[in-house]
Amino acid sequence: MKKVERINTIMRYINNRANFTISEIMREFNISRSTAIRDIREIESMGMPLVAEVGRDGGYFVMNNSVLPTVRFTDNEIKALFIAFMATRNQQLPYLKSRQSLAEKLLGLISENQQEDLVHLNQILLFEGTNPNNPDLLELSDLPHPTLEKLIQILLLDSYLLITIQEEVLKSYPIYLLHLYHEKGIWMIDGFDLMDEKRLIVPVDNLTDVKQYSTKNRLSKRKILEKLSKQEEEINLVLELGPRAIAQFKKYHPLKISISYTNPYQTTAILKTFINVTNPEELTEITNWLLFLGGDIKVREVPVELLEGLQERLGLFCP
């Protein structure tokens, strides 16, 4: 347990007790006596009124059964929270309706001078996807798919799901959800199909229903990861990236693609991945992305289909 998390947990523990001793703290949180004493002193410095009781069985108690001290933010912490709100305002995030009430509660915790700073920041800072004429405007495209919040609520209980997808006909898949991620304005499910025993990637927009998948004979997460590791595709795209290509990579890259730096200054890197050349959409996306990276790359290995696509695209500009 990290120190901050441990101290917060200790604060809740002692605030609900009439009294406590160092030995009880040591046993409850499995820490040494010196660590327990340091944590108690830090909690006292944060404003919790602890009173020491002398004697053989002495310990501590919270004066007047005081509640936890009020949370206080520094100026920089307030700005960090507010800017994070601004930066994610138009990102199809779940619980969008709760953001307004949360922002109002945060504003209620700060002084008028701090509020004026935030108003000024709201006037001068713009982020990608924000309407410059009305930064507070939420468009229909900003709203997440209505199933997203339901999906997250179920995931907090269980990762084994039965999802129903609108294809040519409605079709249901029992899956183990590995990740839920957001890419290019679309929420995606990355899961393991428990029937066909293979990876399944589905846009949340295609979902018509989702619920827990109840089955007695569940495949464990360890077994699922073992099966996926055996099914990993062979690398068929290898690139060397220079500093300009690395800068472009940082601006945008498909979620599944990563780079490894090849020098301590992070000015050169190697990219190794698998491209499914039988998937026209993926092939087109990767073709566009490689053109976006620019000319500061060296191709070490590339599928013929991808190379032909690049040559065709370049031929449109160089007849």
Side-chain angles (χ1 to χ4, degrees), residues 5-139:
E5 181 183 352
R6 184 182 70 244
I7 288 178
N8 287 334
T9 305
I10 293 174
M11 288 174 69
R12 289 192 291 270
Y13 173 82
I14 64 181
N15 196 66
N16 292 322
R17 299 178 67 86
N19 52 62
F20 66 96
T21 65
I22 293 293
S23 297
E24 289 172 347
I25 296 294
M26 292 167 57
R27 289 194 301 270
E28 182 72 22
F29 298 95
N30 193 28
I31 56 178
S32 67
R33 183 177 183 83
S34 58
T35 299
I37 292 173
R38 281 198 302 270
D39 287 352
I40 294 300
R41 287 175 178 169
E42 186 161 343
I43 289 170
E44 286 181 296
S45 70
M46 294 169 66
M48 178 172 273
L50 300 180
V51 178
E53 297 177 296
V54 298
R56 182 177 180 181
D57 299 319
Y60 294 83
F61 68 89
V62 183
M63 185 186 302
N64 298 326
N65 196 28
S66 173
V67 296
L68 292 175
T70 303
V71 175
R72 300 187 186 279
F73 297 103
T74 67
D75 284 347
N76 285 342
E77 289 171 340
I78 290 168
K79 292 181 178 68
L81 284 170
F82 184 72
I83 290 174
F85 263 69
M86 293 175 64
T88 58
R89 184 160 39 195
N90 308 98
Q91 298 296 321
Q92 290 191 337
L93 295 178
Y95 308 106
L96 196 60
K97 294 179 181 178
S98 300
R99 287 165 63 86
Q100 181 64 32
S101 61
L102 181 57
E104 291 173 355
K105 289 176 181 178
L106 286 173
L107 288 173
L109 296 174
I110 63 178
S111 68
E112 290 186 8
N113 288 338
Q114 290 171 323
Q115 291 181 22
E116 289 176 2
D117 286 343
L118 300 190
V119 170
H120 187 51
L121 284 174
N122 194 43
Q123 293 171 343
I124 61 176
L125 294 180
L126 290 177
F127 294 88
E128 185 178 3
T130 302
N131 184 335
N133 299 316
N134 189 351
D136 294 321
L137 176 67
L138 284 178
E139 301 177 2

Side-chain angles (χ1 to χ4, degrees), residues 91-99 142-145 148-150 152 180 182 187:
Q91 298 296 321
Q92 290 191 337
L93 295 178
Y95 308 106
L96 196 60
K97 294 179 181 178
S98 300
R99 287 165 63 86
D142 300 327
L143 301 176
H145 191 277
L148 181 61
E149 289 186 19
K150 178 182 178 182
I152 292 175
L180 179 64
H182 188 255
W187 284 95

Side-chain angles (χ1 to χ4, degrees), residues 80-282:
L81 284 170
F82 184 72
I83 290 174
F85 263 69
M86 293 175 64
T88 58
R89 184 160 39 195
N90 308 98
Q91 298 296 321
Q92 290 191 337
L93 295 178
Y95 308 106
L96 196 60
K97 294 179 181 178
S98 300
R99 287 165 63 86
Q100 181 64 32
S101 61
L102 181 57
E104 291 173 355
K105 289 176 181 178
L106 286 173
L107 288 173
L109 296 174
I110 63 178
S111 68
E112 290 186 8
N113 288 338
Q114 290 171 323
Q115 291 181 22
E116 289 176 2
D117 286 343
L118 300 190
V119 170
H120 187 51
L121 284 174
N122 194 43
Q123 293 171 343
I124 61 176
L125 294 180
L126 290 177
F127 294 88
E128 185 178 3
T130 302
N131 184 335
N133 299 316
N134 189 351
D136 294 321
L137 176 67
L138 284 178
E139 301 177 2
L140 290 178
S141 59
D142 300 327
L143 301 176
H145 191 277
T147 308
L148 181 61
E149 289 186 19
K150 178 182 178 182
L151 174 61
I152 292 175
Q153 288 299 113
I154 295 175
L155 284 175
L156 293 174
L157 302 173
D158 200 350
S159 294
Y160 293 86
L161 308 174
L162 184 65
I163 60 173
T164 303
I165 302 171
Q166 179 66 59
E167 297 177 331
E168 294 181 0
V169 294
L170 287 177
K171 189 172 180 181
S172 295
Y173 298 87
I175 70 166
Y176 178 86
L177 193 138
L178 300 163
H179 299 101
L180 179 64
Y181 65 93
H182 188 255
E183 184 175 61
K184 296 191 299 183
I186 299 175
W187 284 95
M188 304 291 291
I189 288 174
D190 177 14
F192 180 80
D193 187 331
L194 297 167
M195 294 295 290
D196 293 340
E197 295 194 346
K198 64 179 182 181
R199 188 180 293 270
L200 179 70
I201 297 178
V202 179
V204 171
D205 287 0
N206 290 2
L207 293 185
T208 60
D209 191 30
V210 57
K211 53 189 176 183
Q212 286 180 263
Y213 180 57
S214 300
T215 177
K216 294 181 179 179
N217 300 318
R218 289 187 169 187
L219 198 62
S220 69
K221 181 180 179 180
R222 182 177 61 82
K223 287 290 185 183
I224 289 171
L225 295 178
E226 284 179 0
K227 288 180 178 292
L228 284 173
S229 66
K230 293 177 182 178
Q231 296 172 12
E232 285 183 354
E233 301 93 343
E234 292 185 6
I235 290 171
N236 59 2
L237 177 63
V238 180
L239 305 174
E240 291 182 13
L241 281 64
R244 291 188 297 276
I246 291 173
Q248 291 294 93
F249 180 92
K250 289 179 178 179
K251 292 178 182 177
Y252 169 72
H253 60 89
L255 190 70
K256 74 171 188 175
I257 295 180
S258 60
I259 59 175
S260 300
Y261 293 105
T262 53
N263 71 19
Y265 304 103
Q266 298 187 352
T267 56
T268 58
I270 191 83
L271 182 155
K272 297 181 180 180
T273 190
F274 169 80
I275 305 301
N276 183 2
V277 295
T278 63
N279 185 334
E281 291 184 1
E282 181 175 348

Side-chain angles (χ1 to χ4, degrees), residues 280-308:
E281 291 184 1
E282 181 175 348
L283 198 58
T284 300
E285 178 186 342
I286 294 299
T287 300
N288 293 336
W289 182 65
L290 289 180
L291 292 171
F292 167 77
L293 287 183
D296 194 19
I297 60 175
K298 294 180 180 179
V299 178
R300 295 303 182 206
E301 183 178 342
V302 62
V304 173
E305 295 85 351
L306 180 57
L307 183 60
E308 290 175 348

